[in-house]
Amino acid sequence: MEYGLIGEKLPHSFSKEIHEKLGYYQYSLEELKREELKDFILQKNFKGINVTIPYKQDVIPLLDEVDPDALAIGAVNTVVNRDGVLYGYNTDFGGMKALIERAGVIIKYKKVLILGTGGTSLTARAVCERMGAKEILRVSRRESDGAVTYEQAYANHCDADVIINATPCGMFPNIFDSPIELDRFPKLSGVIDVIYNPLCTELVLSAKERGLDTEGGLYMLVAQAILAAEKFLDTEMDVVEVTNKIYDEIYFDKRNIVLSGMPASGKSTVGKIVAKQLGRDLIDTDRLVVEREGDIPTIFREKGERYFRDLESTVIKEVSALSGKVISLGGGAIMRKENVRSLQHNGAIFFIDRSPEYLVPTGDRPLADKKEKIMRLYNKRIDTYMSTADFIIDGDCDPEDVADSIINGD
């Protein structure tokens, strides 16, 4: 490769899309086993690489020159080959600082818990020191290298002001995992999670529920990539402007468009139009249920609504881990809080608000096969449709206009 990313496992990575949006070079992903790392680095068959979990520390002794700041941090995430001489840098520092500032999390004079003891946690500690933290503690599953255990953090450090997750806990595909219980820290004011896939981790969603300043790791990923590109190309960029531009593009590309609404509100039709215009896959959760269990009226008749809803929740949980999709929900899906929570990891919910007089009963919807049933359902669900929606879309116009409103986010 000329430029790329090395790490142990990379199916979750967005780095290729980010770097190639710059338009200067092709960027590859290379998964390496630990025993392969040394040979890969010493062969020097690259111009510039980024380094991710778990090699940000292991790579240091293999380099010819290491930037003093990266050496002080103890982690390298960017390596540049200049005429056979390998130089190591840490652009995560700038990315982490930009992420914290974007989230509005105050570090100065605060007590900070950093989860994890790897290279990213070392960077987080250096950033917090630079930003004036009063006290910084690293938290690990085992007491080592000056870190406290999670049990000790709960028992002795529940007065922490800020938590930064620098572990892979909660990363795709295990998006429903969380590294720590926020309820145990009543003084918390901010939470940062370096994980960017999913867009909102369970930790970030929990922080949002509590009204805390919080942000996931996508902005950090983009910012450090731009700083790395400056090293690759030996040039200077308007880092803030380029970071904001590419972040917005990547976020839009990766965020699921989730369509909610009453039966017969046009979700499937509109979803097909949106998916075609954006070049995305359309996922219809009702269709997935039918593929697994047969037609919905039969499920209702033979196994009951509860069985159907449980199956629907299972399907929604699975598709919520995906990104960059158009997801059309069944009419009652958002009535379960767990479904909404699942969808929020990677999606924005668009409620297609079609007036009930335009909703036509159909036989394949057991709860909406008569006009009077539709009216009862509408009155029962409308408040939940509204409260769970990120965007409320006028559904009384042509499907093409509805689709345009969704794509434009208005």
Side-chain angles (χ1 to χ4, degrees):
M1 70 168 72
E2 286 194 337
Y3 298 95
L5 172 69
I6 63 169
E8 187 175 46
K9 297 178 181 179
L10 303 176
H12 64 282
S13 178
F14 297 167
S15 291
K16 180 177 174 64
E17 294 108 304
I18 292 170
H19 280 270
E20 293 188 350
K21 279 184 179 292
L22 290 169
Y24 298 122
Y25 45 77
Q26 296 293 310
Y27 192 91
S28 304
L29 305 179
E30 185 79 24
E31 292 187 348
L32 297 175
K33 297 177 181 177
R34 190 172 293 276
E35 60 268 23
E36 297 173 323
L37 177 66
K38 183 176 181 179
D39 284 346
F40 179 89
I41 297 296
L42 296 183
Q43 286 173 7
K44 303 181 180 182
N45 292 327
F46 56 84
K47 293 181 180 179
I49 56 171
N50 291 123
V51 182
T52 191
I53 297 172
Y55 302 135
K56 294 181 182 182
Q57 296 165 279
D58 296 345
V59 76
I60 292 176
L62 305 176
L63 306 178
D64 300 302
E65 300 284 345
V66 179
D67 179 78
D69 289 338
L71 202 57
I73 293 168
V76 163
N77 78 305
T78 299
V79 178
V80 181
N81 182 355
R82 298 192 180 103
D83 299 321
V85 180
L86 300 183
Y87 295 82
Y89 303 93
N90 187 307
T91 65
D92 278 340
F93 183 97
M96 175 76 73
K97 185 171 182 291
L99 172 61
I100 292 170
E101 291 171 344
R102 175 183 174 85
V105 173
I106 304 300
I107 299 294
K108 193 170 186 178
Y109 307 134
K110 301 296 185 180
K111 181 173 184 175
V112 182
L113 298 185
I114 299 171
L115 312 183
T117 56
T120 304
S121 78
L122 295 173
T123 301
R125 183 175 66 183
V127 171
C128 291
E129 289 173 350
R130 180 77 60 86
M131 298 180 82
K134 177 182 69 175
E135 184 179 1
I136 304 168
L137 295 165
R138 292 199 295 164
V139 184
S140 175
R141 287 171 294 181
R142 294 177 295 275
E143 191 173 2
S144 61
D145 298 327
V148 302
T149 65
Y150 284 86
E151 290 74 19
Q152 290 169 332
Y154 291 137
N156 305 320
H157 303 288
C158 59
D159 59 340
D161 300 290
V162 176
I163 289 177
I164 299 175
N165 180 38
T167 78
C169 184
M171 181 187 296
F172 175 87
N174 303 309
I175 70 169
F176 301 102
D177 294 345
S178 183
I180 201 164
E181 299 172 33
L182 296 186
D183 284 342
R184 307 282 286 272
F185 302 93
K187 287 189 61 182
L188 273 183
S189 59
V191 173
I192 295 293
D193 197 336
V194 303
I195 292 172
Y196 55 85
N197 185 1
L199 297 174
C200 281
T201 60
E202 190 66 26
L203 185 67
V204 169
L205 288 176
S206 295
K208 287 183 176 181
E209 285 180 344
R210 291 160 177 79
L212 305 177
D213 293 323
T214 188
E215 190 83 22
L218 182 60
Y219 196 83
M220 174 182 171
L221 179 73
V222 177
Q224 68 79 26
I226 308 310
L227 294 168
E230 287 188 321
K231 301 296 185 185
F232 291 165
L233 303 173
D234 193 23
T235 189
E236 291 186 1
M237 302 181 189
D238 187 328
V239 174
V240 174
E241 180 180 343
V242 177
T243 296
N244 288 339
K245 177 179 180 295
I246 292 182
Y247 170 84
D248 289 343
E249 292 174 358
I250 293 290
Y251 189 87
F252 181 83
D253 289 345
K254 298 300 181 181
R255 185 189 67 180
N256 292 327
I257 294 174
V258 181
L259 307 181
S260 77
M262 283 286 291
S265 61
K267 298 185 298 293
S268 297
T269 300
V270 170
K272 290 176 183 177
I273 297 171
V274 172
K276 183 177 181 179
Q277 290 191 20
L278 296 180
R280 299 189 182 196
D281 295 329
L282 172 63
I283 298 174
D284 187 313
T285 58
D286 275 352
R287 182 170 296 175
L288 290 179
V289 169
V290 169
E291 289 175 357
R292 296 183 186 191
E293 291 282 335
D295 69 272
I296 294 173
T298 301
I299 296 173
F300 267 70
R301 185 175 61 254
E302 295 182 354
K303 298 184 177 180
E305 182 179 359
R306 176 64 180 271
Y307 182 88
F308 170 80
R309 295 301 175 195
D310 289 344
L311 182 57
E312 180 180 56
S313 293
T314 298
V315 166
I316 288 173
K317 195 169 184 179
E318 292 172 2
V319 302
S320 293
L322 306 175
S323 60
K325 309 298 182 183
V326 178
I327 300 173
S328 175
L329 300 176
I334 48 79
M335 300 303 290
R336 279 194 175 183
K337 291 182 179 179
E338 66 184 273
N339 294 339
V340 176
R341 177 63 169 247
S342 295
L343 293 160
Q344 288 171 336
H345 284 88
N346 273 319
I349 298 176
F350 293 76
F351 167 45
I352 301 177
D353 186 15
R354 188 166 177 81
S355 300
E357 58 264 30
Y358 297 132
L359 301 175
V360 179
T362 58
D364 62 343
R365 298 176 176 91
L367 299 181
D369 55 1
K370 293 182 174 62
K371 192 66 177 181
E372 56 269 26
K373 286 186 178 181
I374 288 180
M375 294 305 300
R376 284 199 299 268
L377 271 184
Y378 184 87
N379 292 329
K380 178 182 178 181
R381 294 176 177 176
I382 185 60
D383 289 344
T384 305
Y385 283 134
M386 292 288 190
S387 65
T388 57
D390 297 290
F391 301 91
I392 297 172
I393 306 296
D394 181 4
D396 289 347
C397 46
D398 292 337
E400 290 79 8
D401 293 330
V402 177
D404 286 343
S405 296
I406 290 168
I407 292 170
N408 294 323
D410 55 22

